[in-house]
Amino acid sequence: MLAEQITKENIEAMLRVFYTRILKDDLVGPYFIHELGDDLNNRYWKPHLKILLDFWATQLLGEESYQRNPLGPHTLMDDLSPEVFERWLKIFFKTIDEWYAPEAATRFKEKGKSIAEGFMDELGLT
Ligand code: HEM
């Protein structure tokens, strides 16, 4: 059943599916494998998934658990391109649509898209 409400529990479960797919993707996967390895249960991914959960809970649920600079690590990846962002968004949209009912899905996707566009702007990729 598609979720009508975005909750911390369903964000956490969705993120695991999303990053499992990201790791398998030929274009986006290597960036993550380079920084964090290819196993979501390893000692790099575990804290990273918690950071991402806090990030989305802060974006969408009014939490204040994420207090970092989300753009930071992306400024150090000097070969990011619009194509990589497009692929990231494509996998993100597909995963969100499999988890959430239309209203919640639209909210989640619009937030992701606008953050991705903001990143691209800041990185000089637009
Ligand atoms: C081109 C697509 C992207 C790639 C290849 C990418 C890659 C990465 C990698 C490898 C890290 C981990 C860096 C580290 O800890 O060493 C990271 C961190 C992060 N990414 Fe992305 N990312 C992309 C797009 C996005 C988008 C669109 C968002 C948000 C909608 C996002 C949100 C974040 C956040 C919140 C962090 C954690 C930053 C922190 O607080 O340390 N990323 N990204």
Side-chain angles (χ1 to χ4, degrees):
M1 259 248 311
L2 297 176
E4 299 285 343
Q5 302 293 334
I6 301 170
T7 66
K8 256 192 124 157
E9 288 70 29
N10 60 37
I11 296 175
E12 188 173 19
M14 183 280 293
L15 286 175
R16 290 195 73 86
V17 172
F18 175 60
Y19 284 103
T20 299
R21 287 180 177 160
I22 284 280
L23 283 173
K24 289 190 185 137
D25 184 78
D26 59 343
L27 193 57
V28 192
Y31 291 89
F32 288 88
I33 293 169
H34 180 71
E35 302 292 336
L36 303 165
D38 65 358
D39 176 1
L40 290 190
N41 295 311
N42 75 19
R43 65 191 162 112
Y44 305 106
W45 269 103
K46 273 195 183 161
H48 186 59
L49 286 167
K50 168 78 172 83
I51 288 171
L52 290 165
L53 176 60
D54 288 345
F55 172 75
W56 285 110
T58 299
Q59 292 294 335
L60 296 169
L61 303 178
E63 270 198 12
E64 293 179 1
S65 47
Y66 183 83
Q67 300 281 347
R68 298 160 59 98
N69 166 18
L71 181 66
H74 307 91
T75 62
L76 304 173
M77 302 173 205
D78 58 6
D79 50 356
L80 279 179
S81 63
E83 290 72 32
V84 182
F85 273 96
E86 274 157 33
R87 183 73 66 84
W88 188 102
L89 276 173
K90 189 174 163 199
I91 300 167
F92 185 69
F93 279 22
K94 176 177 155 63
T95 310
I96 295 290
D97 282 334
E98 288 171 8
W99 279 80
Y100 296 99
E103 207 176 308
T106 301
R107 201 167 149 245
F108 217 138
K109 287 187 290 185
E110 279 179 358
K111 185 59 93 175
K113 185 160 189 269
S114 97
I115 297 169
E117 283 169 357
F119 280 9
M120 279 195 277
D121 245 8
E122 301 261 11
L123 297 169
L125 297 175
T126 47

